[in-house]
């Protein structure tokens, strides 16, 4: 009797897995990216977010990647204004399955360009406005979106500019500070010039984007099945 009962349970489990799998195949999995240069790449290249889409296609028959609101010179305050005023973006936030956020680098570059008497010790003061804008952005997004926000950190510049890389370190601390996001550290993974399209460019090559995509997948798998 126990033997037949175990067999019946096994059959029911297999049937359940089959229906769950086929149901997922018919669902459209929606990915929304709000980002800057890093997420868009150079000359429409395949970026880390495109590789993540390919990864999700192993599970879902339909995966939609929305890059509509990303642009190369995107700032944090500009994005917050979009979230606050753009009705289409609000609808997309509500309906998306997962949100990737990749902002802050343009703000850092701007702050460095207008700052006088720059020293390693006054970075916290210089970047304080970035912190305030970023936390306000997260709060604004949370008004419409209550699932996982995946924040992508920044990597060291291949140009080896002291103040820029010092600023990136501080910026990453800001980006990972909220407790309601999942932070992806790229600084410790993209640490070789072989990952860049050329020595003077901040854009990653195929290998660099694949490294970030694999890190994202690893972190998300360890957190939960997203």
């Amino acid at each position: 009797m126990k033997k037949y009962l175990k067999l019946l349970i096994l059959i029911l489990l297999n049937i359940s897995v089959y229906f769950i799998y086929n149901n997922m195949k018919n669902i459209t999995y929606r990915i929304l990216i709000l980002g800057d240069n890093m997420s868009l790449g150079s000359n429409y290249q395949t970026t880390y977010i495109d590789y993540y889409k390919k990864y999700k296609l192993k599970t879902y028959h339909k995966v939609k990647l929305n890059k509509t609101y990303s642009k190369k010179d995107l700032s944090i305050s500009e994005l917050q204004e979009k979230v606050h005023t753009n009705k289409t973006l609000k609808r997309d936030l509500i309906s998306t399955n997962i949100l990737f956020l990749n902002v802050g680098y343009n703000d850092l570059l701007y702050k460095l360009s207008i700052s006088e008497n720059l020293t390693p010790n006054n970075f916290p003061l210089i970047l304080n406005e970035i912190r305030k804008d970023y936390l306000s952005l997260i709060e604004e997004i949370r008004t419409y979106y209550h699932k996982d926000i995946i924040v992508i950190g920044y990597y060291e510049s291949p140009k080896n500019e002291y103040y820029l890389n010092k600023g990136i370190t501080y910026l990453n601390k800001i980006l990972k500070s909220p407790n309601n996001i999942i932070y992806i550290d790229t600084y410790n993974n993209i640490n070789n010039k072989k990952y860049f399209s050329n020595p003077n460019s901040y854009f990653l090559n195929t290998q660099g984007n694949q490294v970030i995509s694999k890190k994202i997948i690893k972190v998300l798998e360890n957190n939960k099945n997203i």
Side-chain angles (χ1 to χ4, degrees), residues 76 103-105 108 120-121 123-125 127-128 130-132 134-135 138 151-155 164-188:
I76 294 173
V103 292
Y105 187 71
L108 174 62
N121 295 325
F123 263 90
L125 293 175
L127 300 186
N128 189 48
I130 295 179
R131 177 187 295 275
K132 290 180 180 179
Y134 173 66
L135 295 179
I138 296 296
V151 177
I152 311 299
Y154 290 90
Y155 41 81
L164 175 57
N165 285 321
K166 192 77 172 176
I168 289 172
T169 301
Y170 277 102
L171 175 61
N172 285 335
K173 290 179 181 179
I174 292 171
L175 294 177
K176 68 180 179 182
S177 60
N179 57 13
N180 59 349
I181 59 100
I182 297 175
Y183 176 75
I184 307 295
D185 174 27
T186 66
Y187 197 90
N188 295 313

Side-chain angles (χ1 to χ4, degrees), residues 114-157:
I114 65 171
S115 298
E116 298 179 359
N117 302 320
L118 197 60
T119 69
N121 295 325
N122 62 17
F123 263 90
L125 293 175
I126 292 171
L127 300 186
N128 189 48
E129 189 174 344
I130 295 179
R131 177 187 295 275
K132 290 180 180 179
D133 288 345
Y134 173 66
L135 295 179
S136 295
L137 171 63
I138 296 296
E139 185 177 354
E140 186 74 37
I141 289 173
R142 283 301 185 197
T143 304
Y144 312 99
Y145 177 79
H146 306 293
K147 300 175 186 176
D148 292 291
I149 300 176
I150 315 303
V151 177
I152 311 299
Y154 290 90
Y155 41 81
E156 189 175 23
S157 170

Side-chain angles (χ1 to χ4, degrees), residues 22 36 55 107 144 192 223:
N22 278 277
D36 55 17
Y55 164 74
D107 298 80
Y144 312 99
N192 194 305
N223 276 273

Side-chain angles (χ1 to χ4, degrees), residues 11 25 41 55 74 105 114 132 159 190 215 224 226:
I11 292 172
K25 281 292 184 180
Y55 164 74
L74 186 70
Y105 187 71
I114 65 171
K132 290 180 180 179
K159 295 181 181 181
I190 305 298
K215 179 67 178 289
K224 64 178 82 171
I226 297 177

Side-chain angles (χ1 to χ4, degrees), residues 76-86 89 137 140:
I76 294 173
S77 58
E78 180 183 5
L79 178 56
Q80 183 179 1
E81 180 65 19
K82 283 186 177 182
V83 175
H84 185 67
T85 61
N86 191 313
L89 174 52
L137 171 63
E140 186 74 37

